[in-house]
Every structure is written in C-alpha cells, then in structure tokens.
Amino acid sequence: EVQLVESGGGLVQPGGSLRLSCTTSGFTFDDYAIAWFRQAPGKERVGVASLSEADSTANYAESVKGRFTMTSDVAKNTVYLQMNTLKPEDTASYYCAVLKKRLGYQYLVRTFRSFDYWGQGTQVTVSS
C-alpha cells in the first residue's frame, strides 16, 4: 500500500525558511515519480516541484524558482522541500503525491498532472 506522510509545516515570518518532509512507503522511486503540490484557501491545488527520477533535477513552478529546492533521500524513502525566502502568498496546505511511471510519465510529472496517490498535507503559514 502506497503511503505518504508530510511533516515540517508551521508558522514562519516572511523571509523565513521551512523544510518539509514526505516520508514514503509501499513503493520504490524506480517505479514512481514524486511531486509537491500546494493549495491555498479558496484556490485550486497547484504543482510546486517534481522529480521524474530520484536522482534527476527537479522541475519547479515559476512562483517558487530560486527559493524552493526539492531533494530526495532514497535510503530514507523521504523527499524534502526546502523553502527559503518565504512570502505570505506561500501560505497553503502542502501535499506530496506520487505517479506510477507509464508511457509519457515525464510529461505528466513536468506538468503536474494525473498523480495517483496523495498524502494528507501539512499546513504552512507565512505571516508576521
């Protein structure tokens, strides 16, 4: 059974940093790609960062480029989202999600589409 558990959210002042973790089980990174999404109140869920392969370069949404970094630790079955220079507009629930690799999966991962399994989310609030 695929399981994803996010942690590390909290309240931070503008300009601050947080590191989110997504602990995974029930699959291998050889078979699944992984991504971070976020959903602000009253808005649609959007992709933030994604990895097609555990050792590939992450793909980022324009709104977070240069501020967020997604990494993976295969040995720990965990992916991270380091968030720096946080802004109030980064306030949202953050989710990790995985997509089973299939024909065309790299396009789906790059465009944050058709992810198969989701975590329960962790809240990030950026406020002074």
Side-chain angles (χ1 to χ4, degrees):
E1 179 186 8
V2 173
Q3 291 190 328
L4 308 169
V5 180
E6 302 94 336
S7 61
L11 174 64
V12 62
Q13 292 186 343
S17 298
L18 279 176
R19 188 178 80 157
L20 305 183
S21 299
C22 175
T23 302
T24 73
S25 61
F27 68 95
T28 71
F29 290 120
D30 286 343
D31 297 327
Y32 284 80
I34 191 163
W36 286 96
F37 290 76
R38 68 185 181 187
Q39 186 168 21
K43 295 188 177 181
E44 293 186 353
R45 186 168 56 195
V46 296
V48 174
S50 61
L51 279 172
S52 295
E53 317 294 338
D55 59 353
S56 65
T57 301
N59 169 62
Y60 299 97
E62 286 296 325
S63 59
V64 306
K65 277 184 179 178
R67 300 188 299 122
F68 290 12
T69 302
M70 181 177 182
T71 57
S72 66
D73 186 333
V74 175
K76 294 183 178 180
N77 294 320
T78 301
V79 294
Y80 304 97
L81 186 68
Q82 177 67 43
M83 306 187 296
N84 298 330
T85 319
L86 282 161
K87 304 175 182 180
E89 51 264 44
D90 295 317
T91 295
S93 292
Y94 283 72
Y95 302 86
C96 63
V98 293
L99 177 150
K100 186 169 176 57
K101 294 178 182 178
R102 50 192 181 265
L103 184 65
Y105 78 94
Q106 291 177 326
Y107 171 77
L108 296 176
V109 173
R110 193 168 60 249
T111 58
F112 301 103
R113 300 182 188 192
S114 302
F115 279 73
D116 300 304
Y117 299 96
W118 296 81
Q120 84 291 346
T122 186
Q123 178 66 35
V124 172
T125 302
V126 185
S127 175
S128 55

